[in-house]
Amino acid sequence: MSSPNLHPMLNVAVKAARAAGAIINRAALDIEAVRISQKQVNDFVTEVDHASERAVIETLLGAYPGHGILAEESGTEHGAKDSDFVWIIDPLDGTTNFIHGFPVYCVSIALAIKGKVEHAVIYDPTRNDLFTATRGRGAFMNERRIRVSKRVRLNECLITTGFPFRTGDNFKQYLAIMADLMPRAAGLRRPGAAALDLAYVAAGFSDAFFETGLNIWDVAAGSLLVTEAGGLIGNFTGEPDFLEQRECLAGSPRIYGQLVPLLGKYSKFASVDDKFAASERVRAVDPSAGSVYARSTVHADTAVAEAAAEAAAAAPAPRKLTRLRREESPATPAAGDPAAE
């Protein structure tokens, strides 16, 4: 059902997202019957992904046959190839969650006009939550205005992320990032659907989100939701042109500003000095290296704690035992005492 408050193009995207969501919900009733194939290690695609994508594309091109399509499963196979209007589609973000019956997944649709995202829809079919945004008109969840979190202290924040899962991903670097962030934040979560993670940042359910290895269809719709809800989004160094850079950081402005210095050194766009610092940190938190990782997850102020521990290790051992031995030694005999002879 269309809403008179939405832009006509956004209304069509909502219709497409709901059609895909209906397909996903029907399939979720009997997940064991769903045919699954593997694109690469730990990266799955199902017949539901394909059916959901077809429903979205048919709805969009039915209304706008001259528009282009960029979809996760079919790429640019459908739609006009040279249009200024391109729909960016992830028909089922969180496929691994879906095939395990873990109810965190969504449909993500964005419309880019001349390379800039102007309309966005993220639909969570398990909760019937609809997130929408149009540039300059704000972000909404179920037609109610949403804003990013108002928290300003990192140690009060809930941060979401995505863990590396592909062959060749830098697992040790993620351990270093976690070692830096976990002691500083109230919590770190990995729900498993980047588009929905970004929608939750926009709604203030979480305070920030970061992940590497993401594609444009994972983040296009969520990026507009975040900015229209008053948040910031970019790569780890804070640069806003991130859509095709495969790293994403989003959050409320104050928290985003605190995370950029922490994550920036792990960016592939970091300076040489920062990359060297990151490589040193990665070596330090490698579990085979021992104590630094354990120490960094205990103290709230990691830098201060590590400096104190290193200073303590370098200091000479206390001489308490020496003083005790002196106190217990017998007194020197007085002159004329037979013991003195």
Side-chain angles (χ1 to χ4, degrees):
M1 181 177 179
S2 63
S3 168
N5 299 321
L6 299 182
H7 188 283
M9 290 182 180
L10 193 59
N11 263 323
V12 173
V14 168
K15 180 181 177 182
R18 290 194 182 278
I23 292 170
I24 293 168
N25 279 340
R26 284 196 298 271
L29 297 174
D30 188 9
I31 293 175
E32 292 184 358
V34 174
R35 290 193 297 273
I36 303 167
S37 57
Q38 189 165 312
K39 292 188 282 188
Q40 54 181 312
V41 176
N42 294 330
D43 193 1
F44 302 96
V45 61
T46 71
E47 59 184 335
V48 180
D49 292 76
H50 291 293
S52 174
E53 185 170 289
R54 283 195 300 271
V56 171
I57 292 172
E58 287 172 5
T59 303
L60 296 176
L61 292 184
Y64 302 105
H67 286 192
I69 298 290
L70 173 58
E72 179 177 11
E73 308 307 334
S74 60
T76 58
E77 177 183 341
H78 303 282
K81 300 297 185 286
D82 56 354
S83 176
D84 288 336
F85 296 79
V86 178
W87 294 96
I88 304 169
I89 304 163
D90 192 338
L92 177 52
D93 186 28
T95 300
T96 301
N97 285 348
F98 171 76
I99 63 180
H100 286 84
F102 189 77
V104 181
Y105 42 82
C106 66
V107 181
S108 176
I109 304 172
L111 175 62
I113 302 176
K114 295 184 177 180
K116 181 180 290 187
V117 178
E118 297 289 343
H119 303 285
V121 173
I122 292 176
Y123 179 54
D124 177 354
T126 68
R127 297 168 184 79
N128 195 29
D129 284 338
L130 180 71
F131 299 86
T132 59
T134 292
R135 184 173 296 278
R137 296 191 182 186
F140 298 82
M141 173 183 172
N142 300 328
E143 298 189 357
R144 296 185 64 180
R145 185 72 181 263
I146 54 176
R147 299 289 296 179
V148 294
S149 164
K150 295 180 180 179
R151 295 183 185 90
V152 297
R153 295 172 60 88
L154 190 57
N155 62 5
E156 298 174 351
C157 289
L158 182 67
I159 299 172
T160 54
T161 186
F163 298 152
F165 61 92
R166 301 177 184 87
T167 301
D169 283 348
N170 194 335
F171 294 93
K172 291 184 178 181
Q173 176 170 293
Y174 241 81
L175 287 176
I177 292 173
M178 291 171 66
D180 283 347
L181 285 184
M182 290 176 72
R184 291 178 164 91
L188 188 65
R189 301 286 184 268
R190 201 280 192 192
L196 201 54
D197 289 336
L198 289 169
Y200 280 12
V201 170
F205 300 158
S206 63
D207 302 282
F209 163 77
F210 72 94
E211 188 172 353
T212 61
L214 296 173
N215 294 296
I216 188 170
W217 46 77
D218 297 312
V219 297
S223 68
L224 185 62
L225 280 167
V226 169
T227 55
E228 287 297 314
L232 297 175
I233 188 165
N235 64 21
F236 285 5
T237 63
E239 298 297 324
D241 296 327
F242 75 99
L243 280 176
E244 299 187 61
Q245 294 182 350
R246 298 181 66 80
E247 64 180 43
C248 175
L249 169 62
S252 60
R254 293 286 292 274
I255 301 305
Y256 183 89
Q258 294 174 58
L259 288 175
V260 167
L262 291 173
L263 295 177
K265 61 180 175 290
Y266 300 106
S267 171
K268 58 185 176 182
F269 306 104
S271 67
V272 173
D273 288 344
D274 282 345
K275 287 181 178 179
F276 177 77
S279 64
E280 289 295 306
R281 185 65 173 140
V282 168
R283 281 194 288 272
V285 302
D286 184 350
S288 63
S291 62
V292 174
Y293 178 73
R295 201 163 56 233
S296 67
T297 58
V298 171
H299 299 283
D301 188 343
T302 310
V304 173
E306 289 179 354
E310 290 169 2
R319 302 182 64 185
K320 186 176 180 180
L321 292 178
T322 303
R323 289 196 298 271
L324 286 175
R325 284 198 296 270
R326 289 174 179 173
E327 292 170 2
E328 294 172 358
S329 60
T332 304
D337 191 316
E341 300 175 359

